[in-house]
Amino acid sequence: MRPNIKIVPALAALASTGVCAASLNDVCTSAFARTALPSPSFYQGITIDNSSIVATAVYNTSVSAQVMFPDATFDYCNITFTYSHDGRDDKVALSYWLPAPKNFKHRFLSTGGGGYLISSGSGSLPGGVMYGAVAGTTDAGFGSLTTNFNEVYLLANGTPNYQNLYMFGYQAIHEMSVLGKEFTRLFYEMNQTKLYSYYQGKSSLHVPAKMQTDHSIGCSEGGRDGWSQIQRFADQWDGAVVGAPAFRFAFQQVQHAYSDIVEQTMNYFPPPCELEKILNETTKACDSLDGKVDGVVARTDLCKIHFDISDIIGTPYSCAAASVPMSFPSHPAWPAQNGTVSAKGVAVAEKIIEGLRDSKGRQVYLSYQPSAQFVDAFTQYNVNTSEFELWPSDFAAAFVLPFLQQANQTSFDNLTGVTYDTLKDWIYQGWQEYADTLHTTWPDLTPFHEAGGKILHYHGESDFSIPTASSVHYRESVRKVMYPHLSYNASNNALNDWYRLYLIPGAGHCDVNPYQPNGPFPQTNLAVLIDWVEKGKKPETLNSTVLQGEHLGENRQVCAWPLRPRWRGGGEMECEYDQRSVDQWQVELDAFKMPVY
Ligand code: CA
């Protein structure tokens, strides 16, 4: 039974025709939407504010030029309502976009956030509506869809808000999904019809400084959000798209400071132009190793094996003056830079790619692949000294200061005294303190698998913000934990039946990459996942599209891990197995006695 039904004329009309035959205009009213709210007993501990519901019909909305879904035009009903947790004086705002009844295809899509946001506003919701799914997002009770979690974690210096931590960790998206699915069933009068349930999140524009604009979906924090659901609420999902997840949270956030500590330890602060030259020369040198000269390093593993960055010492570089390529308007512009690639510059680059090791030489964490931009290593220009100097990572600060030191501050004053061992200590502390909320690498996915779930996991091979190897490392953990008695090949085959990982050649962080414009991006991921779940069409290779440059619009296919792309003579791509390459991706993190999943 639906609670609180009041018969109004529009509802009376619906009663005779049914929702499926109704127009968007008929059903997209607050009065009708109120009749579809889950009953008070539906979710223990949650009380929906029935008076808060607002429904607004929106017609002929167009989205275009998105990397995570194709162009589309559609109508939808925008419905918002709030709920509170019993016994706690809070208010959580939910937002759902519902397709017109005739376009509803019995699908629900949960979405997540990016950076420190649990939501991407309405940015990811079109990606569901265009496929006939109700798409939802939540503010987690943080005050707005654009409130950063790290800014509401501390009630005061020294006083964490653990409720907000759990909401960000996994609780908010779970509640939004469970309530949203029930609301969907009631709204469209689905009765016993199967409601397919998917996850795809989104990163957002609201990211801290020293971080490039990021308009990704189902990626980064949105990817971690997805894993937080798959790992805990196995039977809630038919499938999930997760991209470049920001999981292994303490490792991930602290490693943003690693490039800074490399520079500080080596006492060399390379001009950005020098690092860009190293990047461009690396890309040029490694392009052909995949068998196809197209400006795309599709095999960064071969690049690691065969290319010695020191070969480019002495190469001249030159850059015009430029504003800092990030959302940090108060930051001084970079002046024109001219010089030659130095031994010190190369040493910094090599050390960054090697990844964090402690003072005993033991590997603490993974790093970016060669051909990824050196964003974490950007230095800042001091107009007083006319020198480049350290620019401490705000991403690392946004974790270390509030979460480890419980200080309500989002930038480091300095990194004086911080060493590789300090970074290791920060990681260990953060790993322990947030193991059950933010870490998000639980490797046993048996319940999800047994419930029939499918995972499409992807990661840009030239990601500059979350190491590509971080995704490989997790998938390896899942493989080893779930199939301990199978051979490498047999376990990969078993896993690939339901959890597939694709490394996207040339792609940056959840986005196309201006340095490798001919690389593809998997723009149709949700469509691919839907076909896999609903039609059993397993994506042997991942459908992708070139989204910029001279090959704009061309289709590409991406190999599934552990196979790697290789073009031979005739130009056809094959997905090959190459043990030496696979070994490049698998780094033992021997600085810790605990297994790092
Ligand atoms: Ca190439």
Side-chain angles (χ1 to χ4, degrees), residues 136-431:
T137 188
T138 173
D139 81 346
F142 298 163
S144 81
L145 296 178
T146 55
T147 304
N148 279 300
F149 160 59
N150 59 317
E151 292 161 12
V152 295
Y153 175 52
L154 297 176
L155 294 163
N157 285 343
T159 310
N161 184 333
Y162 287 116
Q163 173 58 19
N164 281 353
L165 172 65
Y166 280 87
M167 286 296 274
F168 185 79
Y170 57 84
Q171 187 185 342
I173 289 180
H174 179 60
E175 291 171 353
M176 177 272 289
S177 305
V178 172
L179 294 173
K181 285 160 69 175
E182 178 70 359
F183 178 67
T184 299
R185 285 192 191 95
L186 294 169
F187 188 93
Y188 293 99
E189 296 175 347
M190 289 184 67
N191 301 318
Q192 298 306 309
T193 313
K194 161 89 174 166
L195 175 62
Y196 287 100
S197 186
Y198 299 101
Y199 175 85
Q200 188 182 29
K202 184 187 189 298
S203 268
S204 88
L205 299 169
H206 302 272
V207 294
K210 200 170 181 187
M211 180 69 204
Q212 284 205 334
T213 296
D214 171 355
H215 54 272
S216 49
I217 288 180
C219 223
S220 198
E221 169 55 26
R224 191 201 67 77
D225 291 331
W227 280 116
S228 79
Q229 304 302 301
I230 294 165
Q231 291 165 3
R232 287 183 179 80
F233 310 109
D235 59 351
Q236 287 287 318
W237 309 98
D238 293 293
V241 176
V242 284
F247 55 14
R248 217 172 290 105
F249 203 81
F251 289 77
Q252 166 57 29
Q253 304 300 8
V254 171
Q255 68 90 30
H256 277 302
Y258 171 58
S259 297
D260 296 331
I261 302 307
V262 169
E263 292 168 347
Q264 178 168 281
T265 305
M266 294 187 168
N267 194 29
Y268 181 67
F269 306 93
C273 188
E274 183 179 19
L275 288 177
E276 186 178 55
K277 188 66 182 176
I278 292 172
L279 167 70
N280 287 335
E281 291 298 313
T282 300
T283 303
K284 205 193 294 178
C286 293
D287 177 6
S288 64
L289 296 175
D290 54 30
K292 184 182 181 185
V293 179
D294 56 354
V296 179
V297 183
R299 292 292 296 274
T300 58
D301 39 45
L302 296 178
C303 189
K304 262 187 155 172
I305 293 167
H306 295 291
F307 178 58
D308 183 350
I309 304 176
S310 63
D311 288 352
I312 58 179
I313 292 172
T315 308
Y317 62 81
S318 174
C319 296
S323 58
V324 176
M326 287 147 290
S327 53
F328 201 13
S330 63
H331 195 81
W334 287 333
Q337 301 152 57
N338 298 284
T340 56
V341 172
S342 65
K344 283 184 169 179
V346 165
V348 164
E350 286 176 333
K351 188 73 178 162
I352 289 171
I353 290 169
E354 176 186 272
L356 174 58
R357 294 182 180 175
D358 67 12
S359 56
K360 295 190 171 125
R362 298 171 300 196
Q363 196 81 29
V364 176
Y365 202 43
L366 311 156
S367 189
Y368 310 115
Q369 297 299 112
S371 80
Q373 290 182 71
F374 295 99
V375 174
D376 284 345
F378 282 162
T379 47
Q380 59 185 335
Y381 188 67
N382 185 325
V383 291
N384 298 318
T385 63
S386 303
E387 301 274 349
F388 283 94
E389 60 185 32
L390 191 69
W391 185 6
S393 165
D394 281 355
F395 248 122
F399 178 71
V400 171
L401 299 171
F403 292 88
L404 301 185
Q405 301 175 4
Q406 300 190 351
N408 216 342
Q409 190 182 331
T410 53
S411 288
F412 290 114
D413 295 330
N414 58 65
L415 289 171
T416 305
V418 175
T419 65
Y420 298 136
D421 286 343
T422 313
L423 298 183
K424 177 186 164 186
D425 291 345
W426 282 346
I427 285 173
Y428 195 75
Q429 181 190 348
W431 177 15

